[in-house]
Amino acid sequence: ASIVAFGIEKVVDIILATLGEVFEQIIIISFDDKALVYTRETYDLPVGWVLPAWSAQNESRARDLSPEYLFCNRKRLPPVSEVLWKGSWKWIVYSVNEINEVASFIRRGIDMLETNEISKLLARPVPRGPSGG
């Protein structure tokens, strides 16, 4: 909403000016791919694109953008039988809040998981398949 109201440049510039003290720790993530292009060109920071949908068009855009991180809502992932897009990015799936889902995402090649239930997930071991993996 802020980007629509004030424009990409102004919003990104204000955010990054505010976070100046921790600049080396910043990874900018957004649904707005144009904001990520501006960020990368202007600030040379790593970026993460949050996929608005799983589609051929977004796969092509991901390849063009080549973000360091590609975020996908767990509900937007295709069926397990479909291979995740290959690229230089790390896959991050959100919001994984159930321990019984963790192992399947790891087996699928997801690099990182985002959760709203970190204490709950850390309190229980990750279930393993019959082969231990």
Side-chain angles (χ1 to χ4, degrees):
S2 296
I3 288 174
V4 172
F6 303 107
I8 290 170
E9 293 85 1
K10 186 171 186 174
V11 171
V12 171
D13 292 346
I14 289 171
I15 289 169
L16 292 176
T18 303
L19 298 173
E21 291 183 23
V22 293
F23 200 78
E24 294 78 29
Q25 300 173 40
I26 296 172
I27 299 167
I28 297 296
I29 67 170
S30 181
F31 282 96
D32 191 309
D33 57 327
K34 292 174 188 69
L36 299 176
V37 169
Y38 173 77
T39 298
R40 189 180 267 159
E41 289 174 350
T42 307
Y43 295 96
D44 191 33
L45 285 170
V47 298
W49 188 35
V50 185
L51 292 174
W54 189 272
S55 68
Q57 180 181 4
N58 284 337
E59 179 180 10
S60 178
R61 184 63 187 130
R63 293 192 190 293
D64 291 343
L65 184 60
S66 192
E68 286 77 11
Y69 302 90
L70 200 53
F71 288 75
C72 188
N73 184 303
R74 55 183 287 288
K75 295 176 183 176
R76 289 191 179 123
L77 283 173
V80 175
S81 59
E82 189 174 330
V83 177
L84 297 176
W85 307 331
K86 301 290 183 206
S88 58
W89 50 76
K90 290 187 182 286
W91 277 104
I92 302 174
V93 170
Y94 68 96
S95 295
V96 179
N97 296 322
E98 298 299 326
I99 193 71
N100 62 343
E101 296 179 325
V102 172
S104 65
F105 287 125
I106 292 169
R107 282 192 302 272
R108 192 158 184 195
I110 301 299
D111 299 291
M112 298 177 201
L113 303 173
E114 182 180 322
T115 184
N116 300 319
E117 300 287 345
I118 190 66
S119 296
K120 179 174 100 174
L121 295 183
L122 289 174
R124 298 188 52 207
V126 175
R128 302 290 179 186
S131 65

